[in-house]
Amino acid sequence: MTNLETYFKNSQDIGPYIEQMQDNKDNLVSIYDSFKLPEDDERLQKLKSSNYSKVLVITEDWCGDAMMNLPILKHIAEALELEVKVFHRDDDTHLIDQYLTNGKSRSIPIFVFLNDNFEQETVWGPRAKEVQSFVTNLREDTLPSKDHPDYEDKVKETHLIISNRYKTDSTFWKAVYNSIIDQMIYK
């Protein structure tokens, strides 16, 4: 099995990854430009002396969760001087299969935080708890059974509602930030 060091070294730097994005680049950049790290968060200062030095991101361009979460991670990584590399989930599913959500789903993005020796320190993803609650509740409230004739149309409507919230709701961005920082501190 390929180790994390090999995956990291064979992955794409986050800057060029964002530049070549096709699906969600404009929205990701917009979120990045709109989100600001809190100026007085003592947790960031605490993390500056931690073992973290790298983040291996498992994602795909089309992913709405990544569109929202990556810009927040990018800010955190810049503040903490972490090297961030992006691995395309679908290029080799052996990596994502080590980080299945609920033991079965290849959900993305997944952020694998590494130390200088490419050892995993902690993992975050694919969603902050508050965002997951929103998505779960929305799906429960709007989606009919899968055999309903309107099911596919309702799925598309639901995805559009979720995506629009991700692009505009700064409370979600703050929830993602807090969730990532807390995971890094409390593992």
Side-chain angles (χ1 to χ4, degrees):
M1 180 183 296
T2 308
N3 67 22
L4 290 173
E5 180 177 4
T6 302
Y7 279 114
F8 188 85
K9 289 181 175 178
N10 291 321
S11 294
Q12 190 174 19
D13 288 332
I14 192 168
Y17 169 79
I18 292 170
E19 283 304 313
Q20 61 81 42
M21 287 178 71
Q22 299 293 312
D23 295 330
N24 284 313
K25 178 181 177 180
D26 291 343
N27 293 322
L28 186 149
V29 170
S30 176
I31 292 167
Y32 178 82
D33 290 343
S34 299
F35 178 77
K36 303 295 180 233
L37 290 178
E39 293 180 21
D40 57 349
D41 190 345
E42 293 176 9
R43 297 173 301 170
L44 280 175
Q45 294 308 315
K46 182 177 180 182
L47 285 168
K48 286 184 179 183
S49 62
S50 69
N51 288 336
Y52 300 112
S53 63
K54 301 163 185 41
V55 187
L56 178 59
V57 174
I58 308 168
T59 193
E60 289 289 342
D61 181 353
W62 48 260
C63 176
D65 286 293
M67 170 192 73
M68 178 175 63
N69 298 336
L70 270 174
I72 310 306
L73 174 70
K74 189 171 184 317
H75 275 289
I76 293 168
E78 289 165 355
L80 299 177
E81 299 179 7
L82 305 177
E83 183 180 6
V84 181
K85 298 265 192 144
V86 177
F87 183 82
H88 298 261
R89 179 195 71 179
D90 298 339
D91 287 353
D92 177 353
T93 55
H94 290 98
L95 180 59
I96 192 64
D97 286 348
Q98 298 174 52
Y99 302 100
L100 297 177
T101 301
N102 299 323
K104 61 183 178 183
S105 299
R106 292 177 173 159
S107 302
I108 50 177
I110 298 294
F111 302 156
V112 184
F113 291 87
L114 307 170
N115 62 28
D116 286 335
N117 297 319
F118 299 93
E119 297 165 331
Q120 177 181 305
E121 292 287 332
T122 195
V123 177
W124 184 92
R127 292 187 180 121
K129 180 177 54 175
E130 299 87 341
V131 176
Q132 182 62 52
S133 293
F134 163 75
V135 170
T136 300
N137 291 337
L138 180 66
R139 287 178 177 160
E140 287 173 356
D141 293 344
T142 60
L143 291 181
S145 64
K146 289 185 177 185
D147 59 352
H148 192 280
D150 293 337
Y151 179 76
E152 290 302 321
D153 289 337
K154 290 291 186 185
V155 167
K156 289 176 185 172
E157 288 175 27
T158 302
H159 282 260
L160 186 59
I161 292 167
I162 292 168
S163 178
N164 286 336
R165 269 301 278 281
Y166 284 6
K167 291 184 241 181
T168 60
D169 191 337
S170 63
T171 63
F172 278 4
W173 307 342
K174 186 171 181 160
V176 169
Y177 166 78
N178 283 318
S179 179
I180 293 170
I181 294 295
D182 284 346
Q183 182 64 35
M184 292 176 75
I185 289 177
Y186 303 113
K187 303 183 193 188

